[in-house]
Amino acid sequence: MGNRGMEDLIPLINRLQDAFSSIGQSCHLELPQIAVVGGQSAGKSSVLENFVGRDFLPRGSGIVTRRPLILQLVNSKAEYAEFLHCKGRKFLDFDEVRQEIEAETDRLTGSNKGISPVPINLRVYSPNVLNLTLIDLPGMTKVAVGDQPVDIEYQIRDMLLQFICKESCLILAVTPANSDLANSDALKISKEVDPQGLRTIGVITKLDLMDEGTDARDILENKLLPLRRGYIGVVNRSQKDIDGRKDIKAALAAERKFFLSHPAYRHLAERMGTPYLQKTLNQQLTNHIRDTLPALRSKLQSQLLSLEKEVDEYKNFKPDDPARKTKALLQMVQQFGVDFEKRIEGSGDQVDTLELSGGARINRIFHERFPFELVKMEFDEKELRREISYAIKNIHGVRTGLFTPDMAFEAIVKKQLIKLKEPCLKCIDLVIQELINTVRQCTLKLNSYPLLREETERIVTTYIRERESKTKDQVMLLIDIELSYINTNHEDFIGFANAQQRSAAVTKKRAMPNQVIRRGWLTINISIMKGGSKDYWFILTAESLSWYKDEEEKEKKFMLPLDNLKLRDAEKGFMSTKPTFAIFNTEQRNVYKDLRQIELACDSQEEVDSWKASFLRAGVYPEKDQPENEEGVPADSLSMDPQLERQVETIRNLVDSYIGIVNKSIRDLMPKTIMHLMINSAKEFIYSELLAFLYSSGDQSSLMEESTEQAQRRDETLRMYHALKEALHIIGDISTSTVSVPVPPPVDDTWIQNDPSPPSQRKPSSGSAPPPGRPPAVRGPTPGPPAPPPLNPSPAFVAPPVPFRPSPPPVSANVFGSGSLEAPPPQVPSRPARVPPALPPGIPSRRPPAAPNRPTIIRPSEPSLLD
């Protein structure tokens, strides 16, 4: 592997990943992607190959990369490759990887230079790579060839922008040294997406293929067209090297020799080459990791603090200690009693804001459900009058009565009182169910000890069931007491005189006219033909039901008087799946628009029952099923006798008055009876007797046996705690062992925006004289007024084996190397320009003298110096 710089980061990343894996989390470092942009055949694929250290990308002339290649490097013990389109197949030979890339490219684009934006996803597993994403992109071009579309330039541009616009993408702007830098499309497109130059690194390739007498020194010293992060020169393998199976290690060694031996780059050798490019990117990754660490540290610290209280309980935990078991049992029972009382009596801490629970639900049973059940069993008017008529006639027998018999009143009242038993028993059943649910919720904290939880729930539930029978007996006793004596001297009873004076047409008094009983949202179910279902804000008062557009109550939609209204249950239809009830007029009049009834829907059945109870307070009662008249006698025939009709009306008013007194008494006594005999008794039992029942039910040690889940949770909590501390320690080590390199200061890079055309890119350097020891034949001629004689380099410098010649003397190398890591060598303006010595007379000149500022003529590529 050639990427030594990034290999140094692998243990660091692995330590972080291991620390986070031990706590069951992922380390979200999200290392940046690295994308290469540039023209065709600029050496982009070769630059990427050097990061992997493997030769696996297609090579050739022209456009070779015709689809984006998203290369994901994964640190792994084994070394192999996988393609997304070849799931399950592992490529161990990287020559096969290259062949598969070529085949997959041709499959989608054809074999005649076509392109496609659909990426190829390749994942390489290796122990010598970081978890990085590298992106090999097609080279930018101007003219379509082969099967390429006419707008090839814009398609490739859009393809590149799709990747390099991401802020987490480092851009390597690759430009070959044997082309004009001012015309670099890579620098131009990089400037568009990264105007500050924070993510762009200039890469100059093919330095070994430049014309003789020219070099890229001014560019690499960041003088000609400056970039914020500067330029890095690299020398890749030539096609001949690739065909000759020259491996990457040998190519990196040859690259190193090239920079050390070249007079123009010798002083920059430490800042040139693929290893330095890797080191630069490695530092960028280190900076990114260090920037991510504060957020990771904060996250871990908050998790550590949340675990500390629980860990303190586990530090000295001994599962088999009898004293610990006794103490835990006492604490559990005591906490269970506190939780039960809080749920019943209400508490300010740990309030459930999502639904009613415990005492709130029991309160609603007492004051909403139970009164509603009482009203539901209220007598039907026609049925009651018929029963009263039959009772009067049966009491008189064969005689025609002149007075209203009081025995008929008592018979009807007792029959109605017996009907109270059903809603009273139903009320007790509802409270029992809520108590059992409350006990079950309170025992959830005993999950650590399953046997203790099961036994506690069984003992308390059994006691509640025992109290249930006593409570029902007491309630039945209350009703029997009411049946035993009909108190007609009650202060609220109207008496016979007042009953005769009351008119049958007088309706029940409602509450104060303007009293608002309830507000809330309801859905009106209307057919789609008439507008469909809509939600409105409803206001129920003692006299009317109004609905508005919203809760601001500004736009009133309708107001419905409550006179002659009743409730009935409605079935769920295809219009709505919500629980529904209906309001209708008993006189068969339209209620709303042309509707005889309106259906109102709520989100839950409990809300429907609550609204029905609110309507009862407003005097709107539920509909009663009309039984068929016995013996087919029509109801109207009962009121034919005026005297009988008056007697029926009198008793009807008396029954109504007395039943109202009894209902009021029952509504008051039922909650008191249930609270005293059942709820308060259960609380007292839990505090005073539950512990004794638990001790007598079985072995204490078996009751306090931990569940396997609890033991596992305790172990996981302790492991998590120590892993968090280890992760924080590792982050601290990384923070102290790594250094962030500040971003270079901005440079004057307006040249990219202005798109200038300098007269020469590769002009011979005239800003500094060659230092001692530099062979004058490599650099171009120094421009000046007198034209120097023709320059003919010695054959030793022309032959290919130049890179392998001995290095310059150590003194001169030290002179150039001393400042090469920080800044370019100082300029010496006072030194006169050196004129190369004239050639021997017998040696002809290879090229004419160079005029000042003469543009460089790009010749065909010469053989690589590495060959």
Side-chain angles (χ1 to χ4, degrees):
M1 294 297 294
N3 193 349
R4 299 302 307 172
M6 290 193 180
E7 288 175 10
D8 295 338
L9 266 184
I10 294 175
L12 183 148
I13 300 295
N14 286 344
R15 288 181 65 195
L16 265 183
Q17 298 284 8
D18 292 343
F20 276 81
S21 298
S22 64
I23 58 179
Q25 299 180 11
S26 58
C27 182
H28 298 290
L29 287 177
E30 296 180 358
L31 295 179
Q33 297 177 342
I34 301 174
V36 288
V37 297
Q40 290 183 12
S41 301
K44 301 182 299 302
S45 299
S46 298
V47 170
L48 281 189
E49 276 186 341
N50 291 334
F51 290 120
V52 184
R54 286 283 190 172
D55 185 10
F56 66 95
L57 293 176
R59 297 296 193 84
S61 60
I63 182 168
V64 178
T65 304
R66 294 181 284 131
R67 289 176 60 181
L69 176 67
I70 299 178
L71 175 61
Q72 293 176 290
L73 305 181
V74 181
N75 185 262
S76 175
K77 294 181 180 179
E79 188 170 24
Y80 60 93
E82 285 183 347
F83 285 93
L84 185 62
H85 62 272
C86 297
K87 292 183 178 179
R89 181 182 174 187
K90 294 183 179 180
F91 292 82
L92 302 177
D93 186 356
F94 281 81
D95 289 336
E96 295 182 3
V97 174
R98 182 192 304 109
Q99 296 170 6
E100 181 61 30
I101 293 175
E102 294 173 347
E104 179 64 14
T105 300
D106 292 342
R107 185 186 64 81
L108 205 62
T109 63
S111 58
N112 193 15
K113 309 297 184 182
I115 67 166
S116 171
V118 181
I120 299 174
N121 289 271
L122 172 62
R123 186 171 294 178
V124 174
Y125 297 83
S126 173
N128 305 311
V129 297
L130 281 178
N131 293 330
L132 285 177
T133 300
L134 310 176
I135 305 173
D136 190 15
L137 296 168
M140 289 179 283
T141 184
K142 303 284 186 183
V143 181
V145 296
D147 292 336
Q148 294 177 356
V150 178
D151 59 342
I152 180 70
E153 177 183 359
Y154 303 103
Q155 286 194 19
I156 293 181
R157 175 186 172 83
D158 293 342
M159 193 186 308
L160 280 112
L161 290 175
Q162 179 182 354
F163 292 95
I164 66 176
C165 281
K166 300 175 182 177
E167 290 297 327
S168 62
C169 181
L170 295 177
I171 305 171
L172 300 185
V174 180
T175 304
N178 55 3
S179 65
D180 195 345
L181 186 67
N183 295 328
S184 172
D185 292 326
L187 293 177
K188 183 177 180 181
I189 196 171
S190 300
K191 179 69 174 179
E192 292 179 13
V193 299
D194 182 30
Q196 300 298 322
L198 299 176
R199 303 188 281 121
T200 304
I201 299 176
V203 179
I204 306 298
T205 60
K206 303 187 179 181
L207 290 168
D208 55 329
L209 302 182
M210 296 183 66
D211 288 344
E212 294 183 15
T214 62
D215 58 60
R217 176 174 175 173
D218 287 348
I219 297 173
L220 297 178
E221 290 179 350
N222 210 25
K223 293 179 179 178
L224 183 61
L225 301 178
L227 283 179
R228 189 166 187 172
R229 292 193 179 275
Y231 297 86
I232 299 175
V234 296
V235 177
N236 296 323
R237 294 176 299 168
S238 66
Q239 189 63 42
K240 182 178 179 181
D241 294 336
I242 296 171
D243 295 339
R245 298 288 181 175
K246 186 176 184 179
D247 63 5
I248 291 180
K249 288 185 179 180
L252 293 177
E255 178 188 53
R256 176 73 174 162
K257 288 185 179 181
F258 172 80
F259 285 111
L260 287 175
S261 61
H262 198 293
Y265 312 131
R266 187 179 303 144
H267 67 293
L268 301 171
E270 298 302 324
R271 289 188 289 141
M272 293 294 114
T274 299
Y276 183 77
L277 176 60
Q278 295 170 349
K279 180 181 177 182
T280 302
L281 293 175
N282 173 44
Q283 188 59 55
Q284 296 303 313
L285 301 178
T286 304
N287 288 355
H288 178 83
I289 293 171
R290 286 180 58 85
D291 293 341
T292 311
L293 290 183
L296 292 176
R297 180 187 287 112
S298 176
K299 176 183 176 182
L300 295 181
Q301 287 174 342
S302 63
Q303 292 180 349
L304 193 66
L305 290 175
S306 65
L307 288 178
E308 279 186 350
K309 183 178 180 181
E310 191 173 358
V311 169
D312 288 340
E313 301 176 1
Y314 294 150
K315 282 183 177 178
N316 301 319
F317 186 82
K318 298 179 180 179
D320 299 327
D321 186 5
R324 184 203 63 80
K325 291 185 176 181
T326 302
K327 181 180 178 181
L329 178 60
L330 292 174
Q331 289 176 343
M332 292 280 186
V333 173
Q334 184 179 8
Q335 185 62 41
F336 174 75
V338 171
D339 292 342
F340 183 81
E341 184 174 8
K342 283 184 177 181
R343 283 187 172 271
I344 297 298
E345 301 295 340
S347 171
D349 57 338
Q350 299 179 354
V351 177
D352 190 349
T353 59
L354 300 179
E355 61 178 359
L356 296 179
S357 61
R361 297 176 69 93
I362 294 176
N363 177 274
R364 190 173 67 179
I365 293 172
F366 285 160
H367 302 296
E368 290 186 6
R369 291 295 300 274
F370 180 57
F372 180 69
E373 295 296 332
L374 288 179
V375 175
K376 279 176 63 176
M377 52 76 57
E378 271 192 359
F379 26 75
D380 180 75
E381 191 68 27
K382 293 181 180 180
E383 179 67 20
L384 179 60
R385 288 179 180 275
R386 188 177 64 180
E387 290 179 359
I388 294 175
S389 173
Y390 287 157
I392 293 174
K393 289 180 178 180
N394 289 333
I395 289 174
H396 288 158
V398 296
R399 300 181 303 276
T400 301
L402 299 176
F403 303 100
T404 304
D406 56 352
M407 294 179 61
F409 163 73
E410 288 195 12
I412 297 298
V413 166
K414 289 182 178 180
K415 185 175 182 181
Q416 298 301 321
L417 289 179
I418 293 174
K419 294 181 179 179
L420 292 175
K421 292 185 178 181
E422 182 180 353
C424 290
L425 295 177
K426 185 174 182 180
C427 176
I428 295 175
D429 290 337
L430 291 173
V431 174
I432 288 290
Q433 189 61 44
E434 290 300 333
L435 278 180
I436 292 176
N437 290 339
T438 302
V439 170
R440 188 173 294 114
Q441 291 171 354
C442 292
T443 55
L444 290 178
K445 291 187 177 180
L446 307 180
N447 278 339
S448 304
Y449 306 96
L451 292 178
L452 175 63
R453 175 189 174 181
E454 182 180 346
E455 196 64 21
T456 301
E457 190 173 331
R458 182 190 64 81
I459 292 173
V460 177
T461 303
T462 302
Y463 180 80
I464 291 175
R465 290 297 181 185
E466 292 175 358
R467 303 305 299 178
E468 174 188 6
S469 60
K470 294 183 179 180
T471 305
K472 287 183 177 180
D473 291 343
Q474 181 65 28
V475 170
M476 293 300 101
L477 178 61
L478 289 176
I479 297 176
D480 291 340
I481 291 173
E482 293 287 350
L483 288 169
S484 63
Y485 180 67
I486 307 299
N487 183 17
T488 56
N489 286 328
H490 195 280
E491 58 183 3
D492 294 332
F493 188 62
I494 61 174
F496 273 85
N498 293 331
Q500 291 175 349
Q501 294 174 3
R502 288 182 62 177
S503 171
V506 176
T507 57
K508 296 180 182 180
K509 293 183 180 180
R510 290 198 177 100
M512 296 180 62
N514 295 326
Q515 179 185 4
V516 176
I517 297 176
R518 182 170 183 141
R519 287 183 170 92
W521 288 98
L522 287 173
T523 303
I524 298 182
N525 290 338
I526 305 176
S527 65
I528 299 177
M529 300 298 293
K530 297 181 180 180
S533 299
K534 291 184 180 179
D535 293 336
Y536 293 105
W537 179 258
F538 279 75
I539 298 180
L540 176 63
T541 67
E543 290 189 342
S544 65
L545 176 67
S546 306
W547 54 92
Y548 297 79
K549 179 180 179 181
D550 50 41
E551 59 265 35
E552 294 182 1
E553 301 179 9
K554 293 181 179 179
E555 185 178 344
K556 181 183 287 188
K557 293 295 184 181
F558 196 77
M559 185 181 75
L560 178 64
L562 299 184
D563 296 329
N564 301 319
L565 293 185
K566 280 199 173 184
L567 303 176
R568 66 162 57 123
D569 293 329
E571 296 182 357
K572 300 177 183 178
F574 70 95
M575 294 295 299
S576 174
T577 58
K578 298 179 179 179
T580 308
F581 66 99
I583 300 176
F584 69 98
N585 192 299
T586 57
E587 297 182 355
Q588 302 299 317
R589 295 180 180 178
N590 292 341
V591 177
Y592 175 57
K593 296 183 180 180
D594 59 343
L595 300 176
R596 291 296 178 91
Q597 74 173 22
I598 55 173
E599 295 183 1
L600 303 177
C602 303
D603 292 332
S604 64
Q605 185 61 43
E606 295 178 353
E607 196 172 351
V608 168
D609 295 339
S610 180
W611 269 100
K612 287 181 179 179
S614 299
F615 274 105
L616 291 182
R617 292 175 55 195
V620 180
Y621 297 95
E623 175 190 26
K624 282 292 181 181
D625 295 332
Q626 300 292 342
E628 296 180 0
N629 294 326
E630 295 180 4
E631 302 176 1
V633 180
D636 295 340
S637 63
L638 301 177
S639 60
M640 295 301 292
D641 183 3
Q643 182 179 358
L644 180 61
E645 180 66 23
R646 285 193 301 271
Q647 293 176 353
V648 169
E649 183 66 26
T650 300
I651 293 181
R652 165 71 181 83
N653 293 335
L654 291 172
V655 170
D656 188 23
S657 174
Y658 195 81
I659 291 298
I661 295 171
V662 174
N663 281 351
K664 184 177 179 180
S665 176
I666 291 295
R667 282 202 301 266
D668 180 61
L669 287 175
M670 275 293 293
K672 295 177 180 179
T673 304
I674 294 175
M675 283 295 299
H676 175 69
L677 294 177
M678 193 154 54
I679 297 178
N680 291 341
S681 179
K683 288 192 297 183
E684 184 179 353
F685 172 80
I686 291 173
Y687 277 120
S688 60
E689 301 183 43
L690 175 60
L691 187 61
F693 272 86
L694 286 172
Y695 273 111
S696 62
S697 63
D699 184 14
Q700 173 196 352
S701 59
S702 62
L703 281 178
M704 299 306 295
E705 284 184 1
E706 272 190 317
S707 64
T708 55
E709 292 82 4
Q710 173 64 15
Q712 182 179 357
R713 181 175 181 275
R714 184 182 67 250
D715 295 340
E716 288 180 355
T717 302
L718 292 173
R719 182 182 58 81
M720 175 83 72
Y721 179 78
H722 295 300
L724 285 170
K725 294 186 69 174
E726 176 66 18
L728 285 171
H729 179 68
I730 292 173
I731 288 179
D733 290 346
I734 294 173
S735 299
T736 56
S737 61
T738 58
V739 180
S740 293
V741 176
V743 179
V747 296
D748 183 14
D749 55 0
T750 55
W751 57 272
I752 300 182
Q753 295 175 341
N754 299 333
D755 197 16
S757 298
S760 173
Q761 177 204 358
R762 307 287 181 236
K763 67 176 182 177
S765 175
S766 60
S768 63
R774 178 184 297 169
V778 177
R779 304 285 312 266
T782 302
L791 179 63
N792 189 11
S794 62
F797 289 99
V798 177
V802 166
F804 304 98
R805 62 178 170 79
S807 301
V811 175
S812 61
N814 291 337
V815 169
F816 297 119
S818 60
S820 61
L821 295 179
E822 301 296 333
Q827 307 297 320
V828 188
S830 60
R831 180 183 297 175
R834 296 183 57 189
V835 179
L839 296 174
I843 301 177
S845 175
R846 276 194 159 191
R847 62 180 68 184
N853 298 328
R854 178 179 60 85
T856 301
I857 300 175
I858 306 300
R859 291 180 171 81
S861 300
E862 299 178 5
S864 171
L865 296 178
L866 297 178
D867 293 340

